[in-house]
Amino acid sequence: MNFAAPQSRRISRVAVAMAASTLLAWQSWAAPRGGQLTYAEPILPDTYNPITTSDNETSLRLSELLFESLVFIDYKGEVKGRLAEKWNTFNGNQRITFYLRKDVKWHDGVPFTASDVKFTYDAIMDQMSDVRPETRQALSVIKSVTVRGDNVITFDFASSVAEPERRFLFKILPEHAFEGKTALSKFDKFSKNPIGTGYYKFDRESKNHDVMLSAFKDHYGGSANISDIKMVYQPEVTLLMQSLLLNAADLVVEVPPGKVAEIANAGKFQVIPYNSLAFAFFGYNCDNPVLNIKEVRQAFTLALDRAKMLEDIYFGKGELISGPFSPASWGYNPDVPVKPYDPVKAKQLLEKAGIRDNDGDKVLDYKGKPLKFRLKIPIYSGNEGGLSVCLRFKHYLKAVGIDIEIEQREYQKWKEEVKGKHDFDIVFAEWLFDNSSDISSLFHSANSKPPFGDNFISYKNPKVDSLLDVFSRTINHEVRRRLNYQLHEILAEESPYTFLWTLEKNAAIANKVQKVIVHPYRFFTFVNEWFISGDERN
């Protein structure tokens, strides 16, 4: 799972339905080839190396065009082979063997082999590599890797692993491009001139940060229908929408909620809804002695009119949540209700915790001191609604006697202070999920140590730890579902987060681009099937 930062993820039900109907309509028809697709991004990529990109969604989408993984998630949310033709599991899911395609070439013409897979694994596990902690953590259960020839590789796990193939969604790198060096940096030369096996190859980046890609004609699946893809950088949201309306861009991945109707009414675009399985939250630093009191956290949640916030700020395009999953996730417990807006009960809970106005200044005190908390919010294009959410939070908390100071930080600085140093009281953020519903990194006490743990709120609960440990060892899907239901119930009660909502996202793409199916997290997974119609290809 990732921060929803510059701008933890299954296929959405909307995307599945669209995919099913589209496939039936097009399955017997050969799409025309040619043309250029231009899409606009509000944030620059931080690297072209898919292993070292952190939570930069621009880089993530580009990596989906340039690189491939052993397996991928299809329209139905099921695991299918990409670079791997097939795989077998053995010894109660303690071993998995992948049988790789024999017709894959890197963009420079070098054949792809199992050694590239082994190299990528070694690079991820190299402690000197600039790699997402959750990527390394997902592979930490592997105890050995054996290359059994050019096209066969075996991974042995320390214990049985549920759905082990889902741990191999990471992109594969070319061993020959690194000269044996496994300590990867997002600033090395490969990150400026990447070589992948994907449907598109990297051509160049211009001085104004436009990125040019061209269809890889030697791809084992055949050349993609669209000849060229151009990514243009536009950090201003207003100009981003204008570029779409004035035909300077064919695609915007995420249209602001307030602009969806305007784009749809223009008549030139397909507006495609999708659900990234993300959820927004306020997180409370449990190292703060006041915020470590459960009743205080519960009170903060009850003090917020989240339904009104969702309606006013995001035009109601989302759904309130009661726990640490999107409602579209199999881990979400539908029997846990969303806490209501109840400022009266919020004040009662604060009183119960010994927090009251002792001097009549309308600011609550705790042990003789007025309460004031620092709320940190990241600044980046696309998070304009986040400031409005935090201002509402400040307003609602002031109504029950709590003073909130909002501290805005440029995204990287925010990340350093929050995740690296735990220097905050309250944080506003969003988590993005892929195909997983494993929340161990968020709430297990073992992941609370800075600077790498995702449990930066320092939440500690032995019962939660125990359930998460059992979850990690459990293979049976239904048992895992029940464990997540229990975790959902406990965390809803404990309120280490104020769980806010999951938002509906909308992409806009010009009508000339046909057969568009989007992956809600990686977006371009099915881009090889897209095509540009008629004279628009010129």
Side-chain angles (χ1 to χ4, degrees), residues 234-485:
Q234 180 46 261
E236 296 296 329
V237 173
T238 300
L239 295 178
L240 192 71
M241 292 300 101
Q242 287 182 4
S243 68
L244 194 64
L245 292 166
L246 296 175
N247 302 320
D250 305 309
L251 166 65
V252 169
V253 171
E254 188 173 341
V255 178
K259 294 291 184 178
V260 171
E262 178 184 357
I263 297 298
N265 292 335
K268 300 190 296 182
F269 309 100
Q270 308 160 65
V271 176
I272 303 174
Y274 61 97
N275 185 335
S276 67
L277 296 194
F279 70 81
F281 65 94
F282 287 106
Y284 305 108
N285 191 341
C286 295
D287 284 336
N288 182 305
V290 180
L291 296 175
N292 194 38
I293 301 171
K294 178 177 68 174
E295 287 78 12
V296 172
R297 303 192 300 263
Q298 292 173 331
F300 282 21
T301 297
L302 293 170
L304 303 180
D305 191 344
R306 288 172 288 164
K308 184 170 177 54
M309 293 164 71
L310 179 61
E311 180 63 35
D312 291 350
I313 299 169
Y314 297 107
F315 300 84
K317 293 186 179 297
E319 184 175 353
L320 298 180
I321 60 172
S322 60
F325 307 99
S326 160
S329 166
W330 58 266
Y332 190 89
N333 186 342
D335 296 327
V336 179
V338 173
K339 286 185 171 63
Y341 172 50
D342 192 342
V344 173
K345 187 173 181 180
K347 291 179 180 179
Q348 292 172 349
L349 285 171
L350 293 171
E351 178 79 20
K352 179 181 177 181
I355 296 172
R356 55 183 63 87
D357 182 4
N358 293 318
D359 49 16
D361 62 357
K362 296 184 179 180
V363 176
L364 299 183
D365 304 307
Y366 181 73
K367 294 185 176 180
K369 295 183 179 180
L371 283 182
K372 185 174 184 178
F373 299 101
R374 296 173 301 133
L375 167 58
K376 290 197 174 179
I377 174 177
I379 303 171
Y380 57 87
S381 181
N383 192 36
E384 290 77 12
L387 178 57
S388 296
V389 172
C390 291
L391 289 171
R392 291 292 185 95
F393 181 88
K394 178 182 176 74
H395 166 77
Y396 283 122
L397 267 292
K398 183 178 181 179
V400 296
I402 303 293
D403 189 13
I404 301 294
E405 178 184 357
I406 296 176
E407 298 180 357
Q408 298 184 70
R409 296 286 188 271
E410 178 274 333
Y411 174 72
Q412 192 57 41
K413 182 68 172 177
W414 175 87
K415 187 177 178 181
E416 290 172 3
E417 293 182 3
V418 169
K419 192 171 182 179
K421 300 178 181 178
H422 295 195
D423 180 19
F424 68 97
D425 296 320
I426 306 169
V427 66
F428 172 73
E430 184 180 27
W431 284 118
L432 295 172
F433 288 74
D434 54 11
N435 66 297
S436 165
S437 289
D438 184 352
I439 56 173
S440 300
S441 68
L442 306 187
F443 298 108
H444 198 294
S445 62
N447 298 311
S448 64
K449 298 178 181 178
F452 302 114
D454 287 339
N455 182 6
F456 47 79
I457 62 169
S458 301
Y459 175 69
K460 299 176 179 66
N461 183 318
K463 176 64 174 177
V464 169
D465 283 355
S466 177
L467 288 171
L468 290 171
D469 289 340
V470 174
F471 183 93
S472 68
R473 299 192 299 267
T474 300
I475 296 175
N476 184 278
H477 181 75
E478 286 306 313
V479 175
R480 287 164 68 86
R481 183 197 301 274
R482 290 197 295 272
L483 288 167
N484 269 345
Y485 278 20

Side-chain angles (χ1 to χ4, degrees), residues 70-71 81-88 97-101:
L70 295 181
V71 298
R82 186 72 92 188
L83 293 175
E85 283 188 318
K86 61 180 181 179
W87 56 91
N88 292 323
T97 295
F98 289 97
Y99 303 88
L100 311 180
R101 297 186 65 101

Side-chain angles (χ1 to χ4, degrees), residues 88-137:
N88 292 323
T89 56
F90 307 92
N91 304 334
N93 283 15
Q94 292 191 58
R95 168 178 289 182
I96 187 168
T97 295
F98 289 97
Y99 303 88
L100 311 180
R101 297 186 65 101
K102 299 177 181 179
D103 54 356
V104 181
K105 292 181 181 179
W106 293 100
H107 292 156
D108 61 0
V110 175
F112 159 77
T113 71
S115 294
D116 296 312
V117 180
K118 173 66 163 55
F119 167 80
T120 305
Y121 165 79
D122 289 341
I124 291 172
M125 301 310 292
D126 190 321
Q127 294 299 312
M128 298 301 293
S129 285
D130 186 9
V131 175
R132 291 191 302 270
E134 59 266 28
T135 302
R136 185 175 289 138
Q137 182 180 9

Side-chain angles (χ1 to χ4, degrees), residues 26 29 32 34 511-514 531-538:
W26 296 99
W29 187 79
N511 289 332
K512 70 178 184 179
V513 187
Q514 299 290 301
F531 69 91
I532 297 175
S533 61
D535 295 337
E536 302 284 357
R537 295 194 300 277
N538 297 326

Side-chain angles (χ1 to χ4, degrees), residues 57 92 104 124 228 271 328 504 517 522:
E57 291 220 351
V104 181
I124 291 172
D228 301 287
V271 176
E504 175 190 285
I517 304 165
R522 300 182 183 274

